[in-house]
Amino acid sequence: MTLRVAIGADHGGFPLKAELTPWLRENGYEVLDLGAETLIPTDDYPDYALAVAEAVASEKVPRGIIICGSGIGACIVANKVPGVRAGPCHDTYSAHQGVEHDDMNVLCLGARVVGGALAREVVEAFLKAEFINEERFQRRLQKVLDIESKNMPRKKGG
Ligand code: RB5
């Protein structure tokens, strides 16, 4: 179970971040809140997405949560940071399977897509999940890492 998590949101995600952050703390998680600290209607999601992604990539925290309006912009930004594997998840299956099979380390949420109750269940599924250390998942993850390092894999999976 992951107990340390970074969180960030632009104006589109701010209301959901304001709801999730105290709830995470009440449930024993150490939360690194990377903003926005207040609702700033003109702010830009890449700034918060990058801050969370860098906290995860630098191993300051093992997991991150980024919230924007849709979860999509946040995800696009986060996946540009080497070492980050982000996915937009609005259901609990994707949230835990993304970690178990794909070693997803950043969850992206759309505050205009999910309500607080479902978002809490999705976050819980994400944070409680662990990567399954089986050869097939390791092999696929290694291919992802090879692509990331520009060492494109050519062989088909066994
Ligand atoms: C902000 O209005 C909105 O465009 C942003 O939060 C996000 O949904 C982008 O993906």
Side-chain angles (χ1 to χ4, degrees):
M1 182 164 152
T2 301
L3 289 168
R4 285 167 52 247
V5 60
I7 195 165
D10 71 344
H11 60 280
F14 185 82
L16 185 56
K17 181 171 83 68
E19 190 176 334
L20 291 178
T21 303
W23 171 78
L24 282 164
R25 289 184 173 136
E26 282 159 23
N27 282 279
Y29 291 95
E30 186 186 318
V31 183
L32 177 64
D33 187 345
L34 295 172
E37 289 175 17
T38 58
L39 178 61
I40 306 166
T42 54
D43 68 4
D44 303 320
Y45 67 83
D47 299 329
Y48 307 103
L50 181 62
V52 173
E54 285 183 335
V56 173
S58 66
E59 298 182 354
K60 199 168 180 182
V61 289
R63 301 272 173 96
I65 299 170
I66 315 172
I67 315 168
C68 62
S70 61
I72 302 302
C75 191
I76 290 170
V77 172
N79 279 315
K80 296 201 179 294
V81 176
V84 169
R85 290 171 294 281
C89 301
H90 298 114
D91 67 277
T92 56
Y93 178 77
S94 304
H96 70 79
Q97 198 253 25
V99 176
E100 291 161 355
H101 291 202
D102 311 324
D103 205 17
M104 176 173 72
N105 52 16
V106 171
L107 171 72
C108 300
L109 290 168
R112 297 173 188 160
V113 182
V114 278
L118 177 54
R120 285 194 292 277
E121 291 193 12
V122 170
V123 166
E124 196 167 24
F126 168 64
L127 293 176
K128 288 188 172 165
E130 296 292 345
F131 180 62
I132 298 172
N133 224 1
E134 285 179 16
E135 194 277 335
R136 61 192 167 132
F137 300 134
Q138 288 171 348
R139 184 182 70 235
R140 292 163 193 161
L141 176 60
Q142 189 55 53
K143 290 188 178 189
V144 173
L145 298 175
D146 288 347
I147 292 166
E148 187 175 72
S149 67
K150 305 280 188 284
N151 177 19
M152 302 287 281
R154 293 283 179 251
K155 280 187 286 180
K156 290 209 168 112

